[in-house]
Amino acid sequence: SQTIHQWPATLVQPVGSPLSLECTVEGTSNPNLYWYRQAAGRGLQLLFYSIGIDQISSEVPQNLSASRPQDRQFILSSKKLLLSDSGFYLCAWSVSRQGSYGYTFGSGTRLTVV
Amino acid sequence: AQKITQTQPGMFVQEKEAVTLDCTYDTSDPSYGLFWYKQPSSGEMIFLIYQGSYDQQNATEGRYSLNFQKARKSANLVISASQLGDSAMYFCAMREGLVSRANSKLTFGKGITLSVRP
């Protein structure tokens, strides 16, 4: 069965520190991968998506970057965190084929920048 | 313009009663999919129900049904026989284009908070 792992669950980081959040998918190949961010009490904003290894599309300009070094691994990074980077980060995957429309989300990382 | 609009600020429902959560959408693509997700306080996103733009019938999944009115571009979620565990944030989302399109992605509304009263 397909599963998605995301860690860590919570993170408190000082302003100016680096960030690395990792997401891995099991049980499927060639998934589309997504990073979303949710500000407190708000909807989800798509940050990055990837349709393959080293193929990353950015939806909004920001202080973050994403990489996909392996088919089922998606990493969200920052060199220097800002206070505005605080939020709930969710990784998700989907497959592009007829009959399969689901998007499955990881359990999320709650990031607080202090 | 917003693609997904959820304007109800917060909803309250008595346990065992039905409740409707509103969602309107905007797209010019004839092929699209509509989703509802539930987000409890733990933060996880739980998929509830899906409606394709070409589906002739309204989608149903257990106590969840989707009132799909294509001409009005609305996709309201109906929860029947509410339970205390239904208290959560509910998000409507849309995928534009065919599911087979590689760069298809979900766009979310701002969500609605549902509180079920005992």
Side-chain angles (χ1 to χ4, degrees), chain B residues 66-118:
Chain B
L66 200 151
N67 184 3
F68 182 44
Q69 298 187 44
K70 197 170 182 176
R72 297 178 60 183
K73 293 189 175 180
S74 74
N76 299 339
L77 176 71
V78 180
I79 305 175
S80 63
S82 298
Q83 302 172 357
L84 294 178
D86 293 335
S87 294
M89 193 96 168
Y90 288 81
F91 291 95
C92 180
M94 176 174 65
R95 181 213 73 237
E96 293 179 279
L98 295 172
V99 68
S100 56
R101 195 172 78 186
N103 62 348
S104 65
K105 45 193 180 287
L106 281 183
T107 302
F108 284 83
K110 293 184 177 180
I112 302 167
T113 301
L114 175 66
S115 300
V116 180
R117 292 169 168 155

Side-chain angles (χ1 to χ4, degrees), chain A:
Chain A
S1 63
Q2 302 98 343
T3 57
I4 180 169
H5 301 281
Q6 191 178 342
W7 67 91
T10 59
L11 193 59
V12 179
Q13 293 283 100
V15 168
S17 64
L19 173 73
S20 180
L21 302 181
E22 189 163 342
C23 171
T24 59
V25 179
E26 295 179 0
T28 187
S29 58
N30 301 317
N32 300 322
L33 297 173
Y34 311 86
W35 278 112
Y36 283 88
R37 178 171 61 199
Q38 183 180 25
R42 302 293 299 275
L44 276 70
Q45 180 187 35
L46 180 63
L47 302 177
F48 301 94
Y49 71 91
S50 170
I51 62 172
I53 295 174
D54 294 330
Q55 299 180 65
I56 310 294
S57 296
S58 174
E59 287 293 295
V60 293
Q62 58 212 315
N63 184 42
L64 303 168
S65 62
S67 61
R68 185 171 176 175
Q70 301 179 41
D71 180 46
R72 288 171 286 180
Q73 183 185 29
F74 205 23
I75 298 171
L76 184 69
S77 304
S78 173
K79 292 182 179 178
K80 289 185 178 182
L81 284 169
L82 306 172
L83 288 174
S84 57
D85 292 324
S86 293
F88 189 55
Y89 290 82
L90 285 155
C91 179
W93 70 272
S94 70
V95 289
S96 296
R97 65 170 176 266
Q98 284 302 117
S100 178
Y101 51 76
Y103 294 74
T104 303
F105 285 83
S107 54
T109 295
R110 203 166 299 276
L111 171 66
T112 304
V113 182
V114 296

